[in-house]
Amino acid sequence: MIDAHAAFASPHVTRREEYAPPDWMVPEIALDFALDAGATRVKARLDVRRNGAHDAPLRLDGAGQQPLSVSVDGVAVNDWRIEGEQLVVPLSGAAHVVETEVEIAPDRNTQLMGLYASGGNLCTQCEAEGFRRITYFPDRPDVLSRYRVTMTADKARYPVLLANGDPVGAGDLDGGLHWAEWHDPFPKPSYLFALVAGDLAVNRGTFVTRSGREVQLGIWVREQDLPKTAHALDALKTSMAWDERVYGREYDLDVFNIVAVDDFNFGAMENKGLNIFNSRYILADPDTATDYDFDAIAAVVAHEYFHNWSGNRVTCRDWFQLSLKEGFTVYRDQGFSADQGSAAVKRIEDVRGLRAAQFPEDAGPLAHPVRPESYIEISNFYTATIYNKGAELIRMMATILGPLKFRAATDLYFDRFDGTAATCEDYVACMEEAGDVDLSQFRLWYTQAGTPRVSATLEHHAGSGRATLRLAQHVPATPGQPSKSPMVLPLKLRLFGAETGAPLTDEQLILLDETSESVTFETVAERPILSINRGFSAPVVVESDRTAADLAFLARHDDDPFARYEAMQQLMLDTLVAATIEGQADHRAVIDAVADTLANEGLDRAFVAEAVLLPSESFIGDQLSVVDPDAIFAAREALRRDLGRSLAGQWRTAYDLAGDAPYTYSPQAKGLRRLRSVALGYIAASGAEDAATLAFRQFERADNMTDRQAALTTLANGDDAEREAALDIFYNRYADNGLVLDKWFQTQALSARDDTPQAVALLAEHPDFTLANPNRARSLIGAFSVNQRAFHAAGGAGYRFLADQLIALDKLNPQTAAKLLPPLGRWKRFDATRAGLMRAVLERIVAVPGISKDVLEQASKSLEG
Ligand code: B3K
Ligand code: ZN
């Protein structure tokens, strides 16, 4: 009998335990590119060295090309063979020179991996396994080579030729051609290779390192985008100085170039000396980029720059170690951003992101440890778990060690593993050694998936003045991991007196490493209130017996801003969960807490804006055993309306606070704008008659995109006449700006209106919609699938729409298609009808003939649940 699944060969599974060192090393490689969009010739000259005592042939990875010629030590050979997609060349000695030539077609490369065309320019993306689409090579991160790259191209079409490292020569040739040569002195894995050929303009800068090396910086973009590069260049300089100051890391080449391209599968790429960026993380001016965009640009520029040490100088032995570079680098960029403005607000944003993306991943069918054990397609493992939970692991180790020992440990790590391909274990061992701590049990964080749940109950005996805190932990089962061991959870906590509001203890760091433990506090005179997981010291879910009154108290009195925010969120969440289940709830405690927060002039406005925001619909859903999207929406809207009405005067005050002062980019100005956007949302939610007029006036008068987009979002959620007008004005004003048009699509896809599913289906037919550009695909399809009520509208039209788009996109770009699939994997969390509809489209996806292994892995794992 043949079933639907057996019709396809089962895809190859790569396992961590099967790691073996490479048979051949390639200390040197010379590449010669005859660049042409339709047909690029690539000649590669590899110095290969046998690694260890064996008689295995040389195996070079390839994908999508054929060798035109192969030679060994200067002599053409024909005893090579192709196995799978590998080129296998028998070699007799310990060292040889192997040369190959291939032809590739950048302009037909729609998956945007390898060498491809974007906006008339040529660029590359090699991580994780794109280099094999350019030439034959052992395309694995533990093969480190010194690269020499020569490019020849039409000078008029591609006047700029860039590659990794430093430029060493350039010149003109007959026939309108020119050439350039670049050398990168630092051995690197193939995933860090990059070249760019194009018609680009540059914003140049210089940075003098602390040892006096002058580095030429360049941000390369289309000529007309040059005015939008100042912020990125600034962020680059700030990042370079920050890494010297905070981690003692200095830049190591004479040039550092960044190129922005419009077609890119993710945010950016840290290629040595030649970062390639999605243009959305470079281009910004106040008219087209929001405050959020400006911050994201600085964070991504910093992230990619920091990879020069955490990723490039010390790279990964194999892809199971991905979090070694990504978790650590995210932790580093979070520290950088925290230092640029409010550290508390940054922490709040990061935790919100973790809860929105990583917690659901950890609780669903695609859950995997920070160091996974196996994969079918490595591109599917560039996840919130590897990146963001990975960063939390580094943060916990930093907390356990304290700042001085943590810095000593990172110094040791960079020093010991410089120029090598390392493992997560190497990193932890450095933390242990320099920190003088035992992290044996802590290592479970790398192997056990799932978000630990901590229960905390505090008992107080007034007579004895003793308080007892009982803590217990539980790590839920995840696919392939039915039972778990207790983890090490660093929990920062403090007690506050319910009557006086004063702290009763200092902040303490408790390492909970048993299934349950008690902590006692003596001489606690008044009833204590527990502040726990302060600063979100551990990435866990805390369940406590704190009452609404206790949470409201902490929202007012806690001295840790994160804990204060958290208390407010918990209070809102408890209220919204009760309202969802029971159809109504008492809003009083939330309204009072929000009123107090708005009135507290001692608080940073950016913090206030975050603190008064209600938890998202999907986060409320995550608290329920069965997600009821309509009930959640109704409960949340009711609370929004009530807050809007009860605090009408305060929202107006908050709204007016930003005044009419012209735009400036500073933490204070950003905070005021953020609060104004939030206030506008509440004014609209209150049903105030002038809300649409107010929003439209803001929309028309705004001198910056933050205010303009906030107003558009408010209007897009409603059905006032101003809605269509604003959408049209916005569209026409930015018709030639792809990044802003993405916002136009996204705002409509995220709309709270009842007709959003139909509107999104129509937008997919819009002449400006295309699946060929990942940003555009994500702005409509990706945004819609996280709009909980719209995506899960009864009947399953949203699921079918996503499946149709995803199947179409898979033919062009499997990596980006696979990234859109996870919302369908949440079927277990919904009622039987919705679950059945979601499963039905997953079954359909799995059965598509020729579906990519990227999508197949995600869909079949999602079905297994
Ligand atoms: N290292 C790249 C991500 C590559 C993703 C490949 N599927 C960007 C970053 O994390 O900095
Ligand atoms: Zn990264």
Side-chain angles (χ1 to χ4, degrees):
M1 225 182 78
I2 298 175
D3 70 22
H5 302 250
F8 310 103
S10 36
H12 176 73
V13 178
T14 305
R15 294 179 201 283
R16 185 171 73 89
E17 67 199 14
E18 289 169 5
Y19 173 82
D23 285 336
W24 293 84
M25 301 309 258
V26 188
E28 305 276 340
I29 174 172
L31 289 166
D32 186 351
F33 288 86
L35 291 166
D36 180 84
T40 287
R41 287 278 174 127
V42 188
K43 290 185 193 158
R45 182 183 193 279
L46 279 52
D47 281 349
V48 302
R49 300 267 184 283
R50 200 179 290 273
N51 188 30
H54 64 78
D55 55 8
L58 175 70
R59 289 180 174 274
L60 303 175
D61 299 301
Q65 76 280 65
Q66 287 290 315
L68 301 173
S69 66
V70 180
S71 77
V72 175
D73 300 326
V75 181
V77 296
N78 51 24
D79 57 349
W80 52 268
R81 57 185 195 274
I82 296 288
E83 278 181 19
E85 291 209 278
Q86 286 188 323
L87 170 63
V88 184
V89 187
L91 295 175
S92 54
H96 295 276
V97 174
V98 175
E99 287 168 276
T100 63
E101 183 170 6
V102 299
E103 189 174 289
I104 52 179
D107 64 0
R108 289 204 297 277
N109 181 346
T110 59
Q111 15 180 316
L112 316 182
M113 287 294 282
L115 179 67
Y116 65 92
S118 176
N121 299 324
L122 300 178
C123 66
T124 55
Q125 172 55 38
C126 293
E127 187 176 358
E129 298 182 334
F131 191 65
R132 64 187 62 185
R133 307 179 61 80
I134 296 175
T135 189
Y136 284 101
F137 194 77
D139 193 12
R140 44 187 286 169
D142 56 352
V143 173
L144 274 58
S145 320
R146 250 182 287 272
Y147 282 67
R148 301 164 161 263
V149 177
T150 310
M151 294 161 281
T152 308
D154 184 277
K155 189 172 182 176
R157 217 169 148 186
Y158 306 111
V160 174
L161 300 173
L162 307 170
N164 312 94
D166 296 311
V168 295
D172 289 342
L173 298 166
D174 291 343
L177 298 177
H178 72 147
W179 65 277
E181 188 173 341
W182 293 68
H183 287 185
D184 182 356
F186 293 95
K188 65 170 177 284
S190 51
Y191 82 85
L192 290 173
F193 167 79
L195 74 75
V196 170
D199 187 2
L200 298 164
V202 63
N203 184 358
R204 283 192 195 282
T206 54
F207 180 81
V208 179
T209 71
R210 62 175 180 176
S211 70
R213 176 198 279 274
E214 182 170 303
V215 185
Q216 302 304 320
L217 312 175
I219 312 260
W220 300 80
V221 297
R222 275 178 300 252
E223 175 90 45
Q224 69 266 30
D225 289 331
L226 266 186
K228 296 187 184 141
T229 53
H231 178 64
L233 184 59
D234 246 24
L236 175 59
K237 293 178 191 166
T238 315
S239 311
M240 295 176 89
W242 189 89
D243 213 15
E244 292 187 348
R245 196 173 69 246
V246 179
Y247 283 87
R249 300 294 116 198
E250 190 174 330
Y251 190 62
D252 51 12
L253 288 163
D254 295 334
V255 302
F256 187 85
N257 286 313
I258 293 179
V259 179
V261 301
D262 289 339
D263 305 287
F264 206 71
N265 280 340
F266 33 89
M269 180 64 212
E270 70 262 25
N271 318 296
K272 183 83 187 185
L274 177 56
N275 287 187
I276 299 181
F277 270 61
N278 186 323
S279 53
R280 68 177 295 206
Y281 291 114
I282 290 295
L283 304 180
D285 63 16
D287 184 55
T288 56
T290 60
D291 292 336
Y292 176 86
D293 295 326
F294 272 80
D295 290 350
I297 286 168
V300 179
V301 166
H303 178 99
E304 305 310 330
Y305 173 73
F306 297 158
H307 268 315
N308 190 54
W309 275 94
S310 48
N312 301 1
R313 289 287 286 260
V314 183
T315 192
C316 299
R317 186 191 73 174
D318 55 72
W319 293 120
F320 297 103
Q321 319 300 328
L322 183 58
S323 196
L324 173 68
K325 74 178 178 81
E326 296 304 346
F328 186 25
T329 305
V330 169
Y331 175 73
R332 277 152 54 70
D333 83 53
Q334 290 176 345
F336 168 81
S337 298
D339 283 354
Q340 309 310 307
S342 158
V345 171
K346 173 63 180 158
R347 189 68 185 135
I348 289 168
E349 288 167 353
D350 289 340
V351 173
R352 182 178 291 141
L354 193 76
R355 285 173 169 159
Q358 200 278 324
F359 279 20
E361 185 168 272
D362 236 357
L366 300 173
H368 53 276
V370 168
R371 186 182 57 206
E373 294 299 336
S374 69
Y375 59 78
I376 291 171
E377 170 51 61
I378 185 56
S379 298
N380 287 332
F381 284 79
Y382 286 73
T383 59
T385 297
I386 303 292
Y387 276 67
N388 305 87
K389 187 175 182 178
E392 295 301 319
L393 268 54
I394 306 297
R395 183 179 299 272
M396 286 189 283
M397 288 188 276
T399 301
I400 293 170
L401 266 63
L404 291 178
K405 285 182 175 172
F406 179 68
R407 170 62 197 272
T410 59
D411 282 353
L412 176 65
Y413 167 74
F414 286 127
D415 190 41
R416 182 173 291 168
F417 295 101
D418 190 9
T420 73
T423 62
C424 297
E425 173 51 35
D426 293 332
Y427 185 93
V428 177
C430 288
M431 295 286 130
E432 266 181 329
E433 194 175 320
D436 196 21
V437 287
D438 177 359
L439 296 172
S440 316
Q441 189 187 348
F442 184 88
R443 284 173 171 80
L444 285 171
W445 278 106
Y446 283 95
T447 56
Q448 288 193 157
T451 307
R453 303 184 82 87
V454 175
S455 75
T457 49
L458 185 62
E459 279 169 28
H460 180 233
H461 300 281
S464 65
R466 172 175 296 173
T468 307
L469 173 63
R470 288 181 218 290
L471 296 170
Q473 63 162 302
H474 166 70
V475 188
T478 49
Q481 297 189 332
S483 62
K484 318 268 176 146
S485 308
M487 320 262 270
V488 180
L489 313 180
L491 296 169
K492 286 189 183 163
L493 51 91
R494 189 166 200 184
L495 302 183
F496 291 87
E499 279 110 57
T500 58
L504 301 177
T505 63
D506 288 338
E507 180 174 276
Q508 312 193 358
L509 177 66
I510 306 267
L511 296 184
L512 174 63
D513 57 6
E514 310 273 350
T515 304
S516 61
E517 256 173 74
S518 296
V519 188
T520 51
F521 304 87
E522 305 293 343
T523 61
V524 179
E526 54 182 307
R527 186 176 79 84
I529 296 179
L530 174 68
S531 168
I532 188 169
N533 208 21
R534 292 156 66 81
F536 206 65
S537 56
V540 301
V541 174
V542 175
E543 292 151 354
S544 76
D545 57 357
R546 291 173 298 185
T547 62
D550 291 349
L551 293 169
F553 171 93
L554 290 170
R556 277 180 202 108
H557 297 288
D558 204 313
D559 62 337
D560 174 58
F562 180 83
R564 202 168 175 139
Y565 158 84
E566 187 73 339
M568 188 89 135
Q569 285 289 299
Q570 193 62 51
L571 179 60
M572 291 167 165
L573 205 52
D574 292 348
T575 305
L576 288 163
V577 166
T580 302
I581 295 169
E582 285 147 32
Q584 59 174 56
D586 182 356
H587 294 160
R588 204 63 248 166
V590 172
I591 294 172
D592 288 347
V594 169
D596 277 6
T597 304
L598 285 170
N600 187 337
E601 285 173 12
L603 297 171
D604 165 17
R605 295 298 97 183
F607 174 85
V608 172
E610 297 299 328
V612 302
L613 269 185
L614 294 181
S616 70
E617 289 166 58
S618 51
F619 192 55
I620 301 165
D622 292 343
Q623 320 304 315
L624 299 165
S625 52
V626 178
V627 183
D628 181 341
D630 299 309
I632 291 170
F633 179 82
R636 194 171 178 278
E637 285 306 301
L639 181 52
R640 267 163 54 78
R641 193 181 322 112
D642 210 358
L643 278 164
R645 287 186 182 160
S646 310
L647 308 178
Q650 281 183 284
W651 295 122
R652 296 283 167 164
T653 309
Y655 185 83
D656 292 336
L657 209 61
D660 283 333
Y663 172 89
T664 55
Y665 179 72
S666 68
Q668 292 71 22
K670 283 195 291 184
L672 289 171
R673 280 192 290 271
R674 179 96 183 102
L675 186 56
R676 169 153 60 191
S677 301
V678 172
L680 180 62
Y682 278 110
I683 291 168
S686 76
E689 267 183 20
D690 64 339
T693 315
L694 192 65
F696 194 70
R697 194 175 66 204
Q698 172 171 329
F699 176 79
E700 286 201 302
R701 291 192 184 171
D703 66 350
N704 65 84
M705 180 52 85
T706 305
D707 289 340
R708 190 173 296 123
Q709 193 184 1
L712 184 69
T713 299
T714 299
L715 291 168
N717 285 336
D719 30 46
D720 304 280
E722 289 88 343
R723 177 181 195 273
E724 287 304 314
L727 283 168
D728 286 351
I729 295 169
F730 192 91
Y731 175 84
N732 290 322
R733 176 171 176 150
Y734 296 109
D736 62 351
N737 186 322
L739 295 175
V740 184
L741 280 192
D742 292 340
K743 297 182 193 302
W744 185 79
F745 280 100
Q746 189 192 32
T747 302
Q748 296 178 76
L750 291 175
S751 167
R753 280 163 59 101
D754 295 342
D755 67 354
T756 294
Q758 295 83 333
V760 168
L762 276 177
L763 283 168
E765 308 291 321
H766 192 280
D768 287 306
F769 184 72
T770 171
L771 290 170
N773 178 267
N775 289 355
R776 187 59 48 84
R778 286 186 285 255
S779 72
L780 185 67
I781 320 289
F784 172 62
S785 66
V786 297
N787 182 342
Q788 184 163 278
R789 186 176 69 122
F791 179 59
H792 294 281
Y799 311 146
R800 292 188 292 274
F801 171 77
L802 174 59
D804 292 343
Q805 297 293 329
L806 199 148
I807 291 165
L809 178 55
D810 189 52
K811 296 193 172 64
L812 301 171
N813 187 333
Q815 202 180 115
T816 294
K819 283 258 179 324
L820 295 175
L821 192 132
L824 289 170
R826 303 188 66 230
W827 57 269
K828 266 196 181 164
R829 308 272 309 113
F830 289 81
D831 58 85
T833 309
R834 285 190 172 90
L837 292 164
M838 292 166 91
R839 286 187 62 89
V841 303
L842 284 168
E843 301 273 8
R844 172 152 72 89
I845 291 169
V846 168
V848 170
I851 196 81
S852 68
K853 66 171 180 167
D854 306 56
V855 169
L856 186 61
E857 177 173 34
Q858 301 296 73
S860 47
K861 286 181 176 171
S862 295
L863 277 168
E864 283 160 23

